[in-house]
Every structure is written in structure tokens, then in C-alpha cells.
């Protein structure tokens, strides 16, 4: 990767982050507040106990349903209720978001369990950072980046392969992948660090809440394809 290539991608990523600076800071604040609420507020852990119990009993199915609802149904209600942002095929869009989110819920459930098995359940900063870095390598770079770019471009092209190919960037990895990767690292790494500090059974559930907030922001501003987490 040339320096100019990386600089171009970083410039695009920074521009995207600047455009969404306020919701990004709100997202970070919400993640930190949840962490403080769980560990420091009396009764906070008990309040989240039903969610923990549901994930423990439901496993991958609970993770799947979490994302179907939070990344599909709730954003779908928002899409259908606001005429100015309603896509040409709203119900197909909602179904696609739900299926996509559900699949990522199952993947995250497996990934988070794998990281806990490899690095333990510690909440010290070193453990959290290692989990975050390895998770980004596996979940984002190796698995999520290219499929996410393709999926959101396909949705943005009204589910038309022909239109998606016509709008294909000249330099796919620089113009579509690298900038999205860097922007997502800036936005999501602090959220992942907070997420891994929770008990394993809560991680996938609470991370779905963060994803829901970011999806709603993306839909509201008309930039879901640029803002979506990978």
C-alpha cells in the first residue's frame, strides 16, 4: 500500500467522521455510561440480568433475534414512518437489513466467545485492547469489510446488480474499502473496548444497542451505506 493510497483513504475517513462527529461522541458516551451503570450504579447489574439470562439460555438464536430487531425491525419502522427517507423498496430494504443484522449477530456471538476463550474474561485494559485488536483483525478485516461494502452498495443501488456495477468505484479498495475501514476503526474501537468489559453473555446484546443507534443516525442523515458498522 503506497503512502498516497493510505493518505487518500485516511482523508476520506476523517471527512466522514467529521460529518458525524456529534453522533460519534454520543455513541461513545452511551457506551461509557452503560459501563458505569453496570459496574458502579447500585442495582444496575440486576437490571440487566434478564438480558444476560436470555442470551445465556438462547445462545446464537438470542443473538440473531437481537440484531433482527435492533438492526432490522426498529430501523425499518423509522424508514417506513418518515416519507422523506423511505427507499423505493422499503419492505425489501427492511428484510435485507434484518437478515444482514441477524447474520452478524450470530457471527459476533461466535467471535466474542472465541475471544473470551483465547484471552479470558478479564476487564483490565490490556485484555480489552488485545480482544479489540484481534477482533478487528478477524471480524472486520478478514470477514466483514468487503461483504459489508458490497451489501450496502447493493441496497443503495435498489438491489440492482446492474446499477451497482455501473456505480462501481474505479479503485474499489481505496475508494470503497479503505476509507470505510479507517472510519469504522475511529468510530467503533472505543465502543468495542467498552463492550468487552461486560460479561460475555451481555456483550452481543449491548453491542446490538450501539449498532441500532448508529443505524438510526445513518438512516436519518441518508448516509447508512457510509456509516454502517463492519
Amino acid at each position: 500500500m503506497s503512502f498516497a493510497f493510505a493518505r487518500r483513504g485516511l482523508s476520506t475517513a476523517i471527512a466522514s467522521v467529521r460529518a458525524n462527529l456529534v453522533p460519534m461522541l454520543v455513541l461513545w458516551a452511551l457506551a461509557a455510561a452503560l459501563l458505569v451503570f453496570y459496574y458502579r450504579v447500585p442495582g444496575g447489574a440486576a437490571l440487566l440480568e434478564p438480558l444476560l439470562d436470555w442470551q445465556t439460555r438462547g445462545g446464537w438464536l438470542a443473538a440473531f433475534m437481537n440484531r433482527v430487531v435492533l438492526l432490522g425491525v426498529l430501523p425499518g419502522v423509522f424508514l417506513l414512518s418518515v416519507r422523506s427517507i423511505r427507499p423505493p423498496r422499503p419492505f425489501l430494504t427492511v428484510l435485507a437489513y434484518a437478515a444482514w443484522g441477524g447474520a452478524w449477530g450470530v457471527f459476533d456471538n461466535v467471535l466474542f466467545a472465541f475471544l473470551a476463550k483465547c484471552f479470558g474474561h478479564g476487564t483490565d485494559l490490556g485484555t480489552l485492547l488485545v480482544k479489540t485488536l484481534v477482533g478487528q483483525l478477524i471480524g472486520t478485516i478478514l470477514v466483514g469489510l468487503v461483504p459489508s461494502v458490497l451489501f450496502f452498495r447493493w441496497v443503495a443501488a435498489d438491489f440492482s446488480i446492474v446499477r451497482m456495477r455501473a456505480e462501481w468505484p474505479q479503485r474499489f479498495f481505496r475508494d470503497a474499502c479503505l476509507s470505510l475501514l479507517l472510519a469504522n476503526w475511529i468510530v467503533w474501537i472505543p465502543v468495542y473496548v467498552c463492550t468487552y468489559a461486560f460479561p460475555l453473555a451481555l456483550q452481543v446484546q449491548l453491542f446490538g444497542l450501539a449498532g441500532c443507534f448508529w443505524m438510526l443516525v445513518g438512516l436519518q442523515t441518508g448516509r447508512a451505506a457510509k456509516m454502517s458498522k463492519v
Side-chain angles (χ1 to χ4, degrees), residues 162-183:
V162 174
R163 179 180 164 188
M164 185 175 74
R165 291 181 63 183
E167 298 172 352
W168 198 256
Q170 185 176 6
R171 298 183 178 181
F172 176 72
F173 285 101
R174 186 193 72 181
D175 298 335
C177 293
L178 180 61
S179 57
L180 180 64
L181 173 64
L182 296 175

Side-chain angles (χ1 to χ4, degrees), residues 174-219:
R174 186 193 72 181
D175 298 335
C177 293
L178 180 61
S179 57
L180 180 64
L181 173 64
L182 296 175
N184 273 272
W185 275 347
I186 294 171
V187 172
W188 287 98
I189 281 180
V191 180
Y192 273 108
V193 172
C194 291
T195 299
Y196 291 130
F198 287 98
L200 177 60
L202 275 178
Q203 291 173 13
V204 69
Q205 293 291 321
L206 295 181
F207 195 79
L209 292 174
C212 180
F213 168 79
W214 200 246
M215 177 69 80
L216 289 173
V217 171
L219 293 175

Side-chain angles (χ1 to χ4, degrees), residues 21-194:
L21 181 61
V22 172
M24 181 186 74
L25 294 176
V26 172
L27 179 65
W28 291 356
L30 288 174
L34 262 177
L35 200 58
V36 172
F37 176 78
Y38 184 81
Y39 283 107
R40 298 298 182 186
V41 175
L47 192 62
L48 294 178
E49 188 69 26
L51 198 60
L52 187 150
D53 182 61
W54 183 52
Q55 177 62 41
T56 301
R57 289 185 292 106
W60 71 267
L61 183 58
F64 176 83
M65 292 306 302
N66 170 275
R67 303 303 173 81
V68 166
V69 172
L70 294 178
L71 299 186
V73 176
L74 292 183
V77 170
F78 185 73
L79 271 177
L80 295 175
S81 61
V82 182
R83 183 178 297 273
S84 62
I85 63 170
R86 190 178 301 167
R89 301 182 184 183
F91 291 102
L92 181 58
T93 301
V94 173
L95 182 62
Y97 281 151
W100 180 254
W104 274 107
V106 175
F107 176 80
D108 282 347
N109 187 56
V110 173
L111 177 62
F112 292 174
F114 171 76
L115 294 174
K117 184 175 182 180
C118 290
F119 305 109
H121 299 271
T123 58
D124 57 284
L125 184 59
T127 299
L128 300 181
L129 290 177
V130 169
K131 284 184 177 181
T132 299
L133 293 176
V134 175
Q136 287 297 300
L137 174 64
I138 297 173
T140 298
I141 297 178
L142 297 182
V143 177
L145 181 60
V146 172
S148 293
V149 171
L150 295 177
F151 173 76
F152 285 104
R153 282 186 169 271
W154 179 56
V155 173
D158 195 23
F159 303 97
S160 170
I161 299 295
V162 174
R163 179 180 164 188
M164 185 175 74
R165 291 181 63 183
E167 298 172 352
W168 198 256
Q170 185 176 6
R171 298 183 178 181
F172 176 72
F173 285 101
R174 186 193 72 181
D175 298 335
C177 293
L178 180 61
S179 57
L180 180 64
L181 173 64
L182 296 175
N184 273 272
W185 275 347
I186 294 171
V187 172
W188 287 98
I189 281 180
V191 180
Y192 273 108
V193 172
C194 291

